[in-house]
């Protein structure tokens, strides 16, 4: 099966990789040539480290990059059987991509969104009524090359056969799909951000430091990584954005803590180039322990 992925960021590139590792030809699209080059370089590094060879034969891993065709043109998705939208978590950005895909993809093509918070039925409004039976959410988890879970979320109009087909494809590429109702934040992010919000409140109240709370979650709750190390990796900016969406949907229980807002405004959101909750060495150590 030929599949497409729109968006060559951290999520989109690795979604393309897991399909390629399972033997599918993949078209990876991004408007930025620089993003495409960076994505292929990062995937090569992942394969060089042997990250996915625990799940797939080494010869498949060596051939995986050859199965991924980067392109800046969304029209290249025209002959794909399944296309996953994996662009920035913005209704405006996703609506533009989905409208374009709806116009270029064949009628039988299944469109999936990797949104982590936006309701699928809202996104479905940006494709034609005829397409909505073959549109759904497939929420992968980062890093996609390691994390097996995928939330499968049907919209109001998603056909049962589409859900069955996508579920089978996900199992075929080594993922564990779980069926989730179409609500804002779905299931995992609602549980996760309830934890993150409470963790930040504990720091605000002076109960414990971010580093000690990370240790407590890893050793006391059995989590592979602490909440603050996780926020440093995925960025506090993204966490704040998700919490604002959840707050709009569910009210006070998901109100972002003031300290989180202050740190994001101060440029302390973490990621590769900025300081986060804990120093870079501690963040890397916690991340490496989770592998």
């Amino acid at each position: 099966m030929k599949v497409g992925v729109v968006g060559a960021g951290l999520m989109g590139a690795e979604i393309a990789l897991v399909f390629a590792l399972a033997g599918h030809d993949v078209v990876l699209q991004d408007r930025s040539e620089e993003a495409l080059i960076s994505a292929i370089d990062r995937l090569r590094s992942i394969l060089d480290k042997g990250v996915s060879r625990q799940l797939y034969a080494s010869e498949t891993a060596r051939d995986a990059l050859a199965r991924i065709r980067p392109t800046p043109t969304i029209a290249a998705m025209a002959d794909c059987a399944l296309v996953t939208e994996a662009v920035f978590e913005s209704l405006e950005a996703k609506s533009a991509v989905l409208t374009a895909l709806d116009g270029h993809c064949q009628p039988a093509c299944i469109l999936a969104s990797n949104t982590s918070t936006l309701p699928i039925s809202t996104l479905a409004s940006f494709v034609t009524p005829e397409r909505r039976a073959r549109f759904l959410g497939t929420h992968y988890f980062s890093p996609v090359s390691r994390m097996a879970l995928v939330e499968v979320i049907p919209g109001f109009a998603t056909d049962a056969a589409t859900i069955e087909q996508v579920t089978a494809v996900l199992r075929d590429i080594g993922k564990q799909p779980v069926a989730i109702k179409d609500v804002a934040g779905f299931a995992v992010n609602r549980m996760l951000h309830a934890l993150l919000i409470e963790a930040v409140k504990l720091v605000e109240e002076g109960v414990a430091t971010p580093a000690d709370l990370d240790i407590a979650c890893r050793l006391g709750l059995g989590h592979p990584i602490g909440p603050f190390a996780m926020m440093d990796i995925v960025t506090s900016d993204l966490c704040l954005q998700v919490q604002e969406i959840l707050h709009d949907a569910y009210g006070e229980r998901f109100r972002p803590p003031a300290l989180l807002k202050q740190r994001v405004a101060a440029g302390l959101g973490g990621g590769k180039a900025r300081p986060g909750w804990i120093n870079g060495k501690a963040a890397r150590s916690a991340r490496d322990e989770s592998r």
Side-chain angles (χ1 to χ4, degrees), residues 13-14 16-22 39-68 145-146 291:
E14 291 203 24
L17 177 63
V18 295
F19 274 99
L21 284 166
I40 297 301
D41 287 344
R42 190 168 64 84
L43 296 182
R44 183 177 292 108
S45 176
I46 289 172
L47 292 174
D48 286 345
K49 292 176 182 177
V51 166
S52 297
R53 295 183 188 182
Q54 299 170 5
L55 299 176
Y56 301 95
S58 59
E59 61 269 23
T60 303
R62 286 196 296 268
D63 294 339
L65 286 183
R67 297 193 185 98
I68 300 175
S145 58
R146 291 180 176 274
R291 292 182 174 178

Side-chain angles (χ1 to χ4, degrees), residues 188-200:
V188 174
N189 264 336
R190 283 175 61 177
M191 293 188 290
L192 170 63
H193 284 276
L195 170 67
L196 297 182
I197 288 169
E198 192 61 28
V200 175

Side-chain angles (χ1 to χ4, degrees), residues 11-50:
M11 295 294 290
E14 291 203 24
I15 292 171
L17 177 63
V18 295
F19 274 99
L21 284 166
H24 299 285
D25 292 327
V26 184
V27 180
L28 177 61
Q29 189 272 339
D30 198 289
R31 292 182 300 177
S32 167
E33 293 276 8
E34 182 179 354
L36 290 168
I37 293 170
S38 177
I40 297 301
D41 287 344
R42 190 168 64 84
L43 296 182
R44 183 177 292 108
S45 176
I46 289 172
L47 292 174
D48 286 345
K49 292 176 182 177

Side-chain angles (χ1 to χ4, degrees), residues 94-273:
K94 289 181 181 296
S95 65
V97 168
L98 292 171
T99 299
L101 285 172
D102 192 33
H104 287 293
C105 294
Q106 56 189 325
C109 176
I110 295 174
L111 297 186
S113 175
N114 182 52
T115 180
S116 60
T117 53
L118 298 171
I120 298 305
S121 293
T122 300
L123 294 176
S125 70
F126 299 107
V127 301
T128 57
E130 295 77 16
R131 177 79 65 182
R132 292 171 193 170
R134 301 183 69 76
F135 178 77
L136 78 173
T138 51
H139 177 214
Y140 296 78
F141 290 81
S142 183
V144 179
S145 58
R146 291 180 176 274
M147 301 288 279
L149 184 66
V150 181
E151 291 181 305
V152 177
I153 311 101
F156 292 138
T158 308
D159 189 81
T162 299
I163 301 170
E164 292 173 4
Q165 184 177 351
V166 170
T167 298
V169 169
L170 290 171
R171 290 196 176 111
D172 181 64
I173 66 170
K175 298 302 180 185
Q176 176 59 64
V178 292
I180 302 294
K181 184 180 178 181
D182 184 22
V183 295
F186 313 131
V188 174
N189 264 336
R190 283 175 61 177
M191 293 188 290
L192 170 63
H193 284 276
L195 170 67
L196 297 182
I197 288 169
E198 192 61 28
V200 175
K201 287 181 178 179
L202 287 168
V203 173
E204 284 182 327
E205 295 165 8
V207 175
T209 66
D212 282 346
L213 288 169
D214 274 4
I215 292 171
C217 283
R218 284 163 37 223
L219 302 185
L221 300 179
H223 294 186
I225 189 170
F228 295 96
M230 176 180 289
M231 283 189 280
D232 282 353
I233 293 170
V234 303
T235 76
S236 291
D237 307 62
L238 178 59
C239 291
L240 176 59
Q241 182 185 14
V242 172
Q243 288 170 24
E244 287 172 339
I245 292 172
L246 294 174
H247 179 236
D248 287 342
Y250 301 110
E252 284 302 304
R253 59 183 164 140
F254 285 109
R255 179 181 291 277
L259 181 58
L260 178 64
K261 292 181 177 180
Q262 291 169 341
R263 291 182 64 86
V264 169
L268 303 175
K272 289 185 177 181

